[in-house]
Structure formats: structure tokens, C-alpha cells
Amino acid sequence: MYLENTPKLGITVSLVNTSLIGQRSESAGYTYSLFDELKRAFSIWINLLKILIQWKKTNIVHFNSNCSPKGLVRDYLSVLLIKLFSIPIVFHCHCNVPDQLSESRVGFYFLKNIIKLVDRVIVLNSRSRNFISANFQVAPDIVPNFINLDLVDLKRKRVVRKLKKLTFTGHIRRSKGILEILKVAKDFPELTFYLIGPMTENLEAEEPIGSNVKLLGSMDHEQVLDFLRKSDLFVFPSHTEGFSVSMLEAMASGLPVVATDVGANADMIESKGGIIIPTNDVFALKKAIERMKDVNLRKKMSIFNITKVKNNYTSEIVLNKYLNIYKLLV
């Protein structure tokens, strides 16, 4: 979406690499070998070098990283290469930084040295900003993910009195809190839990799937958005996130949210657009769903979420944040 929208700002972008790498690709069900990773690294460096030599009008390098420990080694070498050309570097951490680095000395070391070299650091959420500020004495800019304004349901249908349809979108796996959903669904036979997304782990051996849980598999984007608009509540008990676009789309659809206290979740709904619960806590999830049976509460949350997305997370607003950062460096 960044590439699709940058022409509106009068910016020309050259893309160096789009590969899924490191821990993020593993969590999405992909695997990679050391040989594959080295091939990707050399491909990145060669393409980057070609662009820096041939395209002499490069003003800024915007460097996206998932901050996996292995990936940060490659990122550090890439940043050193860019520095040879004296071009300002914006280093963008597309993850929840504490989750990636809290137990990795290697990752911590290389991110520390990357931050010393770059001109600006961007993160997705306040947790990442606080972690970097405390450990590296740098104040990063928070720039969230975004969606286009036409996806925001400004005319949200009337919130129905009776809670019926609860929806989750994302990978069907443990790290997304699916086991917690399967367990809590047993306590609400009157509700239907719709899980949209590819199943990348077999969870049925650990927790039987009840008759009120519907595994819908992958859908195209328009189908997902249409389903969200017809739902009553978005349930998102993920164990780790950076800034969830799935949750953002649910908010844009006017859905109240029950989400875990990870990544940007609390930044997004501020306790006014949903209920924040601890991770791996089936009782807290059950209690939150019970509270959401209050139609007046859901109405207030629905209005808040639509307004929050409209005023903070649309492409025009977020891309202008990027532009303001770029202007400081050129």
C-alpha cells in the first residue's frame, strides 16, 4: 500500500526486495535455509548497489526491517553499504521490537549499532518506542500502518441488540490465540465464532472444534471486509503483534474489539473501542465477551473505532507523517 500511495505525495520509490524472511516468515508457515538467506542477502546488496550507483538522485533510503536477530545482521551490513553514499537513512522497525529482541543479545547488539548509523528510526507502536528509548537513548517516531479511506465504514449499520457473530481474521495457529478462542467458544453455545484465514497448524488434536466454531479458510480481501461488516464483535487474542492490519480493518468496519495487550492493540482502541485482556487468559476472554453483550457499550465502541481510524489511520494521514519525516532529512 505504501508503494501504491506514494505518487500522491510526489515521491518516486525504487523497491529493492520483497522477500519474506526471518522469524516473520516462519510464523506465517514458511521455512528458509541458511543458503536461501545468504542468497537473499547478496541479492539485496547487489540490487541496492545498482540503484545507489545508477540512480544518483536518491534523496533518502527508507529501510524496512522485521528486526529478527538474523535479519538484523544483514540489515547492519546493508546500512553500512548505504552509508558509503552519504544518503540519509530512515530505519523502519516493522514489528513489536521488545518481542524480537528481549531475549536476543545478537539482535540487541546489531540494532544498537544500526541506530547509531541511521538518521531516523520509525516504529509501529508505543511499546517499541519505549523499548528503544530506554535501551538506546533515541526517541523514534511512531508511524502506524494504514488503510485507504474508502474502506472505512462511515455509515456503519445499526448495532444489533443481540450479540451473535464473533469474527477473527488471520492465520489459524497457536500464536494468534486460536486455542483460547476454541476453549471459550464452549461457554457460549448461543454465539457463533467465525475464523477466517489459512490454517497453518493442526490444533484440533489439542482442542476439539465445537459446532459453533466455523473455519472459513482464506477469502479474498473484499469477502473479508464484507464479512466484518456483517459481524458483531472482533475477537483477537494474539500473543504477539506489531500493528495489526486485521484489527485495523475490523475497527474501520465499526466492530468493537476484544484484543490482547500486545503490540499496538492498546494504542489503537485505547480501552474506548474495545476491551484489552492479558495473553493466554481464557477466563479474561470469556469475561470480556460477556461484557460485550451490552448493546449500548458496543454502540459507543463502534462509533469510537470508526472515528479513530478516520482521524488517525487512513493513507493520506499516515503518508503525510512519512513525508514530514523525509522533509527533515533533505
Side-chain angles (χ1 to χ4, degrees), residues 43-199:
S43 174
I44 290 171
W45 296 331
I46 291 170
N47 290 332
L48 179 60
L49 193 58
K50 286 180 180 178
I51 289 171
L52 293 176
I53 292 173
Q54 295 173 4
W55 198 17
K56 296 180 181 179
K57 293 183 180 179
T58 299
N59 300 116
I60 290 173
V61 173
H62 187 132
F63 198 111
N64 288 296
S65 174
N66 69 359
C67 295
S68 67
K70 295 184 183 74
L72 284 170
V73 178
R74 179 197 57 248
D75 295 344
Y76 174 69
L77 295 173
S78 299
V79 167
L80 285 176
L81 178 61
I82 298 166
K83 292 297 289 185
L84 295 175
F85 293 83
S86 301
I87 299 171
I89 303 171
V90 175
F91 192 80
H92 196 161
C93 299
H94 260 278
C95 63
N96 191 50
V97 178
D99 288 347
Q100 294 285 43
L101 299 187
S102 57
E103 297 181 4
S104 172
R105 291 184 179 180
V106 171
F108 189 95
Y109 172 82
F110 279 100
L111 182 58
K112 179 180 180 180
N113 283 280
I114 287 170
I115 288 175
K116 289 179 180 178
L117 293 171
V118 301
D119 300 276
R120 206 81 180 190
V121 179
I122 295 176
V123 295
L124 293 174
N125 55 58
S126 59
R127 292 175 185 274
S128 297
R129 179 194 59 194
N130 295 342
F131 181 90
I132 289 176
S133 296
N135 289 286
F136 308 130
Q137 290 71 55
V138 170
D141 298 287
I142 297 179
V143 181
N145 288 330
F146 60 89
I147 60 174
N148 289 328
L149 180 61
D150 59 5
L151 298 184
V152 183
D153 190 0
L154 299 176
K155 297 180 180 179
R156 168 69 172 165
K157 63 179 176 57
R158 183 174 64 85
V159 177
V160 297
R161 179 169 295 278
K162 194 170 183 180
L163 184 66
K164 293 181 180 180
K165 296 177 65 174
L166 286 69
T167 299
F168 164 91
T169 61
H171 285 270
I172 310 303
R173 55 188 296 115
R174 293 173 188 81
S175 63
K176 291 295 183 180
I178 300 302
L179 287 176
E180 291 89 279
I181 292 177
L182 297 180
K183 290 174 182 177
V184 83
K186 297 175 183 177
D187 295 318
F188 295 99
E190 75 281 13
L191 305 179
T192 305
F193 294 75
Y194 296 93
L195 309 184
I196 301 173
M199 180 175 283

Side-chain angles (χ1 to χ4, degrees), residues 183-252:
K183 290 174 182 177
V184 83
K186 297 175 183 177
D187 295 318
F188 295 99
E190 75 281 13
L191 305 179
T192 305
F193 294 75
Y194 296 93
L195 309 184
I196 301 173
M199 180 175 283
T200 51
E201 291 177 350
N202 182 12
L203 305 179
E204 197 166 5
E206 294 181 51
E207 191 63 43
I209 298 174
S211 60
N212 63 333
V213 176
K214 309 300 180 184
L215 298 174
L216 302 182
S218 298
M219 295 181 176
D220 66 42
H221 193 224
E222 285 302 319
Q223 287 179 305
V224 172
L225 294 175
D226 185 59
F227 203 94
L228 287 171
R229 295 184 187 112
K230 295 175 181 177
S231 299
D232 302 320
L233 178 66
F234 189 69
V235 181
F236 198 64
S238 183
H239 299 174
T240 179
E241 292 293 329
F243 189 105
S244 171
V245 174
S246 294
M247 187 163 140
L248 181 56
E249 290 176 342
M251 292 172 65

Side-chain angles (χ1 to χ4, degrees), residues 241-284:
E241 292 293 329
F243 189 105
S244 171
V245 174
S246 294
M247 187 163 140
L248 181 56
E249 290 176 342
M251 292 172 65
S253 300
L255 288 183
V257 175
V258 174
T260 40
D261 192 11
V262 297
N265 291 357
D267 295 345
M268 295 166 75
I269 61 174
E270 302 180 37
S271 78
K272 298 176 184 177
I275 299 173
I276 293 292
I277 62 173
T279 55
N280 288 296
D281 194 329
V282 175
F283 178 76

